[in-house]
Amino acid sequence: MGAYSLVFTFDNLTQRNLIQQSLSRKLVQILSGLLFMASSPIFSEATSARYFASFVPFVNCLRLLINGLSLATDEGWVKSVTCEGDRAELLRGPLYYVLILIFCAVVFWHDSPPGVILVAMMCIADIVGRRFGSWKLPHNLRKSWAGSISVFLCGFLISIGYFTGMGYFELDWSVSLGRVALISLLATAVESLPTNELVDDNISVPAVSIFLSLLTLSP
């Protein structure tokens, strides 16, 4: 219900031209990831709970496929989750995003540090970069210092907030704090690269986050 309400709200705002389409897409991405993380404590520790939790992103996955393949038409919804209103875009970034959420729920669940960092880094947005991004990165003029800084802070602060607030983790903060910062920094560096035409950052950033988290935070 929460996920549906979220998309419905921004669909409505987009149709009324109260917010820009690109902003709507980014806010849906950020808030859906945060909502997914915040709702995890309501599920039990049973193995089956992770599959039940993945049902919501799975439904969204089907919706993306149905609209992206033109098997059904919901123009308002398409506009709320794409940058240009092109339904083919649904089969790229948005689809990768929900697939990563499903993967995170089934493989890592909510008591796994790599899973938390994975979702936290998926909550990236170029909202700050678009608004205050006049100072561009030297290696990628499509990205800005403001955007990259916001990506790093978002991933780092959300991860730390979840680790400290949910009570699932017993981490040695004398070393873990620096490791989470390093993972967030390197994932941000990958997101800043001009490689989005080759590998979507909804794939490259989670891949780097998972690898580094398993390497540095796993017991």
Side-chain angles (χ1 to χ4, degrees):
M1 180 62 71
Y4 177 82
S5 299
L6 181 66
V7 175
F8 176 80
T9 298
F10 285 101
D11 180 4
N12 225 323
L13 293 174
T14 303
Q15 290 187 48
R16 296 184 179 188
N17 294 318
L18 295 176
I19 62 173
Q20 295 179 345
Q21 189 171 313
S22 58
L23 177 59
S24 171
R25 175 183 179 267
K26 290 300 180 179
L27 288 174
V28 167
Q29 177 172 328
I30 297 170
L31 296 176
S32 60
L34 293 175
L35 178 63
F36 189 72
M37 292 179 68
S39 63
S40 63
I42 69 175
F43 296 96
S44 72
E45 297 302 317
T47 302
S48 59
R50 65 183 64 198
Y51 299 103
F52 185 72
S54 67
F55 179 73
V56 171
F58 176 73
V59 171
N60 285 328
C61 178
L62 292 179
R63 194 177 185 186
L64 289 167
L65 289 171
I66 290 171
N67 282 273
L69 296 172
S70 299
L71 301 177
T73 302
D74 188 341
E75 293 299 333
W77 181 77
V78 171
K79 288 182 179 180
S80 70
V81 296
T82 61
C83 289
E84 305 295 336
D86 180 7
R87 62 179 61 249
E89 187 184 336
L90 296 174
L91 302 178
R92 297 191 291 273
L95 179 61
Y96 303 151
Y97 184 77
V98 295
L99 288 175
I100 291 295
L101 289 182
I102 294 171
F103 173 79
C104 180
V106 172
V107 176
F108 292 110
W109 199 215
H110 56 219
D111 55 356
S112 166
V116 171
I117 294 179
L118 165 58
V119 176
M121 292 309 302
M122 288 288 286
C123 291
I124 60 177
D126 61 359
I127 296 172
V128 174
R130 287 179 184 272
R131 188 171 179 84
F132 306 103
S134 57
W135 191 15
K136 301 298 183 181
L137 297 176
H139 59 281
N140 187 358
L141 296 180
R142 298 180 63 182
K143 300 290 179 74
S144 68
W145 284 103
S148 290
I149 291 171
S150 69
V151 168
F152 167 74
L153 290 177
C154 181
F156 176 72
L157 294 176
I158 291 174
S159 297
I160 296 301
Y162 192 94
F163 286 144
T164 57
M166 292 301 177
Y168 296 119
F169 307 94
E170 295 182 4
L171 299 175
D172 181 358
W173 287 109
S174 63
V175 294
S176 295
L177 198 65
R179 291 176 179 177
V180 174
L182 178 62
I183 294 168
S184 301
L185 180 63
L186 293 178
T188 299
V190 169
E191 192 273 340
S192 76
L193 296 175
T195 56
N196 210 38
E197 296 299 324
L198 298 174
V199 182
D200 192 283
D201 54 27
N202 282 305
I203 296 177
S204 59
V205 172
V208 169
S209 301
I210 292 172
F211 175 75
L212 294 174
S213 299
L214 291 173
L215 194 66
T216 61
L217 291 177
S218 294

